[in-house]
Amino acid sequence: MAEKTRYSDEELEEFRNIINEKLALAKRDYNEMMRQLKNADGNDVDDTSPTYKALEEGSVTQSKEEIVQLASRQQKFIQGLEAALIRIKNKTYGIDRITGELIPKERLRAVPHATLSVASKNARKK
């Protein structure tokens, strides 16, 4: 029997569902981070307590920097998931971009935006 060169439409649909679930959660988390950065839930004491503000300013800045980093990573994750959906549409999803072989289903279930098998990824690091 010939080796499979791509996942079946049914398998691609399974992956599409996994990706859409992860995408919805990722977008929700990203939007929450952006709300925190914009202080949309602001019941803060920023404008009422200058002494408190002076003491907390450093930690607030650090927290915002951490949120910015997390939001940036989350945005990259969302882009990866969206790119995976395009690969599903093009029926190229799950194909290792170095070897051209299928990435194992277990890896794709765990990391649905993966474009490399574990072996290819490890080979690249060397």
Side-chain angles (χ1 to χ4, degrees), residues 40-52:
D41 302 326
N43 285 336
D44 211 344
V45 294
D46 280 350
D47 57 352
T48 58
S49 179
T51 306
Y52 176 77

Side-chain angles (χ1 to χ4, degrees), residues 51-62:
T51 306
Y52 176 77
K53 183 177 178 184
L55 294 173
E56 289 297 311
E57 203 166 89
S59 67
V60 168
T61 300
Q62 183 180 358

Side-chain angles (χ1 to χ4, degrees), residues 18-74:
I18 291 169
I19 291 168
N20 280 328
E21 285 177 26
K22 288 190 181 271
L23 193 55
L25 290 173
K27 285 180 176 181
R28 184 201 67 201
D29 292 348
Y30 176 77
N31 289 333
E32 179 60 33
M33 288 177 213
M34 296 311 290
R35 278 193 27 228
Q36 286 179 18
L37 284 174
K38 293 175 185 172
N39 203 18
D41 302 326
N43 285 336
D44 211 344
V45 294
D46 280 350
D47 57 352
T48 58
S49 179
T51 306
Y52 176 77
K53 183 177 178 184
L55 294 173
E56 289 297 311
E57 203 166 89
S59 67
V60 168
T61 300
Q62 183 180 358
S63 294
K64 284 193 176 191
E65 287 172 2
E66 289 169 0
I67 293 171
V68 167
Q69 284 181 329
L70 289 171
S72 177
R73 287 183 62 199
Q74 195 70 358

Side-chain angles (χ1 to χ4, degrees), residues 14-30 74 77-82 84-85 93 105-114:
E14 175 194 342
F15 290 124
R16 182 190 325 271
N17 292 332
I18 291 169
I19 291 168
N20 280 328
E21 285 177 26
K22 288 190 181 271
L23 193 55
L25 290 173
K27 285 180 176 181
R28 184 201 67 201
D29 292 348
Y30 176 77
Q74 195 70 358
F77 180 56
I78 290 168
Q79 290 170 344
L81 292 172
E82 289 172 341
L85 288 174
Y93 179 78
K105 284 184 182 183
E106 302 77 37
R107 173 153 170 79
L108 293 173
R109 286 185 184 117
V111 186
H113 58 293

